[in-house]
Amino acid sequence: MGPELAAEPDFRDRFRAAVEAARTLSGAFLVPIVDADADAPAPWLATEFTAGLPLRQAVDRHGPLSEPALRVLTDGLARALAALHAAGAVHGEVSPDSVLLTMDGPRITALGIVGATGSPAPSPTDDMFDLGSTVLFAACADEPDTGALPESLREVIGGCLYPEPADRPTAEQLVDYLRRQDLPALGGSWLPPAVTADMAAATAAVGSASAGGGGRGPLPSPPVNAARAGVSRRKLIIGLAGGAAVLGGAAAALAFSGDSSPAPDRRAGGPGSTVRPASPSGVRSTSASSASPSSTDGPESIVLAGPDAAKAWSGAGKHAPTCLEASGHVVMVVTDTATSFLDAATGKSVFPPLNTTNDFGTTSDKYPTAYADGVFYLLCDTPSQSGLLAALDAASGKVKWATKMAQVEPGGGTAAMYMSDYVTVAGNTVYVCGQLLQTSKSFSAKSPSTGYIRAFDAATGKGLWRVKGTDINNVLVPPSGSHLLATSAVPGKKPGRVQMIDAGKKGARGWNVSVPHAAYYFTTGWPLTCYAAGLFVFAGGSGDTLFAVDAATGSERWHQRFDAKNGDTVQIGAPFSSLDGATVYVPVGSDLAALAAADGTLQWVATLDGANDMGGSNMFNAALRISGKSAQCSADTVFATDSAKTLWAIDAATGRARWKYSDPGQPDVGFLWTVGGDHVFIASHLTVTAIAAHGR
């Protein structure tokens, strides 16, 4: 440690007290302190030897961790912090550099030397933010983007990164959250073989050094600067000797020499922002359009409250559904073993099952099913083929046609594979949209994503045309007409862009509109856009404004800006429209606002009350963007899920709740659900349940 810090008044006393407190801590995921000397010319401490690899080195060298490994990492860090916090201690420096990966799970040093430098002492909620940042780093390895997190962790890690400390989960709540997910146990090693090989090499190096050293004292090693990438938030200079076996040396002395780069940007609206949308606590909109009033306070908010739903029917199967799609008469249930069809009125099987499967199912950025004009469309696999687009007759359950989708496109010395994200239908055309996955060595994680649109004849499955580009992401296909909407890839510090794609001209680019500061929205996945009565509606501005433009020309018809009465930052979620296109619904945190599509006039505002299951503010999932279809409509009812794991049925005319449906036993990643006719169909674990729109 630097002598200048050791010479600071009272530092040695603070250091000594913190070390004594850390000695009393224990836990399976903590590396205990075994010795320290606060009176040495350069104060030091030593931790128990643990064979492992620092998380940053593992990710920098071998890339992001897999979903199972991320769950193990999250659980281990949460348990370690739970032990620290229960003892009244705070770690204060959880980061990719202070986390050690071992064969038995992650470890962090039971340091807790908070305030040792005289800086403001961190709190347990600071530890939880650092945990979230660390897991996000392990999932991304580059630019932070919560979209890179697996579905099973996205909501809760997003909660750790909330800007309001009080809204973050505690370590104990996080441990309980992961336990209640009841996800499959990880078989074998939790780490990739390349990482375990590095661990073995590092351990062998330590063994050789120890054999030649002839003593039990800490092994010397050059300092390693751990304050990288802006992860460290407080200045701390402590020599850690003999603590961990790291790649390329024996036990390392980690010298925390202060923040070498700015703290992470935690402002809402930036690329890869980890800040949640804030509840406006009562939406107030202001209009700037000749077609609507210049300003209005709008109607009073309606707090949602309603009776529990009455089930029309409920039935269980042998395999958990991965996708649901429904017409007014038939429910298509897709699992990882087969596709089945149920009578929408009774829940009874109506057709023989098919051998089409979809293992990945519906996620926040994938929706592999669609229905239109008596036909189900499914992105699927069979035992003999993968990457199919199939059309299934809803009247018989038979396959009308199937087209091979998985293709590799060569070009210019590089290659790209089509990755299908979602399928949708408009008129006589089926569209499959997704991303081109680069397979060349020249690909960089910083490269903007390249999206694509592929058009197929709905009657035959024959390919019609295809387009691709970094300007084609989050494609919106209206139910009618030939004008599609595409958004640009994450533009960094440049403005985002929405543009019209003319399907009548085989995907030719049409008008485009620049959207300043829209990087928060322009990420791959389900589009934060909707279509209503000839208008494209999308979020822009600084994330607080909804724009409506003519679908054919791009000329603005109206826009609405939403203000938060409590001064918090407003972030609009994914808008959606009524079936007739007359109304646009906009989720904003805990509020759902209904606007007239013609001029943007505010019709009503429905507000969630209470907390989510993690103790934070309850929010509409469509505002949090955690599911591809978090809100849908029937003819006269709006259905929307919230972060308390409740599905609400809201009267489209009044904004009042018809009923609510809560399922305490559903997976924490949320239940699957879809709307068909005047019913909503819900899958939770092995069970499918039907509820009438009016609850009767």
Side-chain angles (χ1 to χ4, degrees):
M1 137 180 3
E4 64 280 358
L5 182 61
E8 287 187 9
D10 301 325
F11 172 79
R12 293 179 186 270
D13 290 338
R14 295 195 302 269
F15 181 87
R16 187 180 296 105
V19 168
E20 289 305 313
R23 287 180 187 273
T24 66
L25 301 173
S26 64
F29 299 98
L30 296 170
V31 179
I33 293 174
V34 296
D35 202 1
D37 189 350
D39 299 316
W44 59 269
L45 62 84
T47 62
E48 182 176 283
F49 171 76
T50 303
L53 197 67
L55 173 62
R56 185 180 297 281
Q57 291 191 22
V59 172
D60 283 350
R61 184 158 185 169
H62 302 292
L65 299 184
S66 65
E67 178 178 0
L70 288 170
R71 293 202 304 267
V72 174
L73 173 67
T74 305
D75 183 67
L77 296 183
R79 290 177 185 274
L81 291 180
L84 285 170
H85 297 168
V90 179
H91 191 280
E93 284 293 348
V94 178
S95 75
D97 301 290
S98 64
V99 172
L100 194 68
L101 305 183
T102 78
M103 294 301 294
D104 297 324
R107 300 287 187 273
I108 58 175
T109 303
L111 200 54
I113 308 186
V114 296
T117 63
S119 302
S123 68
T125 56
D126 291 325
D127 275 351
M128 297 309 294
F129 189 98
D130 291 345
L131 181 152
S133 299
T134 299
V135 174
L136 187 60
F137 169 83
C140 300
D142 202 312
E143 294 294 330
D145 181 2
T146 53
L149 291 165
E151 191 74 12
S152 60
L153 293 175
R154 190 169 303 160
E155 181 178 7
V156 74
I157 294 302
C160 292
L161 297 168
Y162 282 178
E164 298 88 356
D167 286 344
R168 298 169 196 160
T170 66
E172 289 184 349
Q173 287 175 328
L174 179 51
V175 171
D176 185 62
Y177 177 96
L178 297 171
R179 177 184 60 79
R180 288 186 291 108
Q181 277 189 306
D182 197 26
L183 294 170
L186 179 65
S189 173
W190 73 287
L191 292 170
V195 175
T196 57
D198 281 351
M199 287 183 185
T203 303
V206 172
S208 299
S210 298
R216 299 182 58 187
L219 296 172
S221 177
V224 178
N225 185 2
R228 296 177 52 193
V231 174
S232 178
R233 293 182 291 110
R234 289 164 291 276
K235 295 180 179 179
L236 180 62
I237 302 179
I238 299 172
L240 295 179
V246 298
L247 183 66
L254 302 182
F256 294 84
S257 58
D259 291 333
S260 60
S261 58
D265 187 353
R266 296 172 186 170
R267 294 171 299 172
S273 170
T274 57
V275 177
R276 67 165 173 86
S279 171
S281 301
V283 169
R284 177 170 61 87
S285 67
T286 56
S287 173
S289 169
S290 58
S292 61
S294 59
S295 65
T296 178
D297 287 334
E300 291 293 326
S301 296
I302 301 167
V303 177
L304 289 177
D308 292 334
K311 299 178 182 179
W313 54 261
S314 186
K318 295 182 179 180
H319 300 278
T322 59
C323 311
L324 282 183
E325 193 66 49
S327 68
H329 304 286
V330 178
V331 184
M332 180 176 70
V333 183
V334 185
T335 72
D336 59 358
T337 62
T339 297
S340 302
F341 301 91
L342 307 179
D343 186 301
T346 65
K348 304 295 184 181
S349 177
V350 290
F351 310 129
L354 301 175
N355 65 351
T356 53
T357 65
N358 189 300
D359 292 351
F360 297 101
T362 301
T363 66
S364 63
D365 57 1
K366 293 183 182 297
Y367 207 89
T369 63
Y371 171 81
D373 300 325
V375 181
F376 290 113
Y377 298 92
L378 174 64
L379 296 170
C380 60
D381 302 321
T382 68
S384 60
Q385 294 191 80
S386 61
L388 297 177
L389 169 63
L392 312 176
D393 192 331
S396 65
K398 295 181 179 180
V399 178
K400 295 187 64 174
W401 51 260
T403 298
K404 179 75 172 178
M405 283 291 302
Q407 295 184 16
V408 175
E409 179 176 285
T414 64
M417 179 177 294
Y418 285 97
M419 305 298 291
S420 301
D421 289 338
Y422 49 95
V423 59
T424 188
V425 190
N428 299 320
T429 306
V430 182
Y431 298 93
V432 176
C433 306
Q435 295 185 67
L436 284 169
L437 179 64
Q438 301 290 336
T439 58
S440 68
K441 294 183 179 179
S442 61
F443 172 72
S444 169
K446 295 183 179 180
S447 302
S449 59
T450 298
Y452 72 84
I453 307 171
R454 300 177 71 173
F456 300 86
D457 187 290
T460 66
K462 179 182 178 181
L464 301 177
W465 53 266
R466 69 180 71 179
V467 293
K468 64 179 181 178
T470 58
D471 59 342
I472 298 179
N473 286 270
N474 300 346
V475 179
L476 171 64
V477 179
S480 61
S482 62
H483 301 127
L484 316 184
L485 186 69
T487 65
S488 60
V490 177
K493 296 182 180 179
K494 299 179 180 179
R497 183 173 61 184
V498 295
Q499 68 176 325
M500 187 264 281
I501 303 295
D502 194 334
K505 297 181 180 180
K506 296 185 177 181
R509 270 72 163 178
W511 56 263
N512 67 78
V513 175
S514 178
V515 184
H517 311 296
Y520 178 82
Y521 295 96
F522 289 75
T523 55
T524 56
W526 199 259
L528 288 176
T529 59
C530 75
Y531 174 86
L535 302 177
F536 283 131
V537 183
F538 54 88
S542 59
D544 61 0
T545 305
L546 196 71
F547 293 89
V549 303
D550 185 278
T553 66
S555 60
E556 183 179 317
R557 293 288 186 86
W558 53 264
H559 70 263
Q560 285 280 10
R561 184 171 64 86
F562 293 87
D563 292 332
K565 291 182 178 179
N566 60 3
D568 289 339
T569 301
V570 172
Q571 293 289 355
I572 298 171
F576 58 101
S577 68
S578 58
L579 296 185
D580 61 7
T583 308
V584 175
Y585 304 100
V586 189
V588 190
S590 297
D591 295 338
L592 180 66
L595 308 177
D599 57 13
T601 302
L602 188 62
Q603 305 294 304
W604 51 255
V605 178
T607 301
L608 293 170
D609 194 13
N612 61 29
D613 63 337
M614 296 299 294
S617 299
N618 195 10
M619 301 257 182
F620 283 104
N621 285 336
L624 298 171
R625 303 184 302 139
I626 66 170
S627 178
K629 286 190 176 180
S630 297
Q632 304 174 57
C633 295
S634 67
D636 61 0
T637 307
V638 179
F639 302 97
T641 58
D642 66 20
S643 56
K645 298 192 292 188
T646 299
L647 172 65
W648 292 91
I650 303 170
D651 188 312
T654 66
R656 300 187 181 279
R658 298 187 190 275
W659 49 261
K660 65 181 186 295
Y661 176 79
S662 299
D663 181 3
Q666 70 171 272
D668 286 290
V669 293
F671 46 42
L672 293 171
W673 64 287
T674 191
V675 175
D678 60 356
H679 280 72
V680 60
F681 304 93
I682 304 162
S684 176
H685 292 296
L686 303 178
T687 303
V688 177
T689 298
I691 302 173
H694 291 188
R696 297 188 296 269

